[in-house]
Amino acid sequence: MTIQSPSPFPGPAVAEQVAFDRHELGVILTLYGRMVAAGEWRDYGMSFLRDVAVFCVFRRAAEHPLYRIEKRPALRNRQGSYAVIGMDGQVLKRGHDLAAVLRILERKLIRPID
């Protein structure tokens, strides 16, 4: 009879891609629903890559995205994981709290009453 040494348990798995969790998607889709109801946005797309998760917002499906909402966990300790990026690539807002970062887009809903 041969004695085999026990195989070690696998270590913690390294995440192969970054994704939004359920709470984050709830916050994003709540804003998206309000903007669709206001007639500002019409379509969205999501990408989950190795280092970034992106939620893109479109006015029409065939255009470039109006805004990109990004989650980069590598920037968590520096500038914050979340960012809103405009159509021209300019970072409009960056921070640690997703709801606070998305407030920059909620201002578009506030209109004066005639």
Side-chain angles (χ1 to χ4, degrees), residues 40-62:
E40 297 288 326
W41 297 349
R42 299 189 192 264
D43 199 8
Y44 72 91
M46 292 188 284
S47 297
F48 303 114
L49 305 172
R50 182 177 298 272
D51 58 343
V52 63
V54 183
F55 186 94
C56 297
V57 177
F58 299 90
R59 187 176 307 271
R60 291 179 193 83

Side-chain angles (χ1 to χ4, degrees), residues 46-87:
M46 292 188 284
S47 297
F48 303 114
L49 305 172
R50 182 177 298 272
D51 58 343
V52 63
V54 183
F55 186 94
C56 297
V57 177
F58 299 90
R59 187 176 307 271
R60 291 179 193 83
E63 293 182 350
H64 294 288
L66 291 174
Y67 301 104
R68 290 188 336 244
I69 301 165
E70 293 187 354
K71 176 183 177 182
R72 292 185 184 264
L75 298 177
R76 171 181 44 236
N77 295 331
R78 294 185 194 110
Q79 303 160 342
S81 297
Y82 306 105
V84 173
I85 300 171
M87 185 185 306

Side-chain angles (χ1 to χ4, degrees), residues 73-107:
L75 298 177
R76 171 181 44 236
N77 295 331
R78 294 185 194 110
Q79 303 160 342
S81 297
Y82 306 105
V84 173
I85 300 171
M87 185 185 306
D88 56 354
Q90 181 180 11
V91 177
L92 302 176
K93 181 91 173 167
R94 185 179 300 266
H96 298 283
D97 182 28
L98 180 60
V101 171
L102 292 179
R103 280 193 206 118
I104 191 93
L105 299 175
E106 289 179 1
R107 293 182 187 161

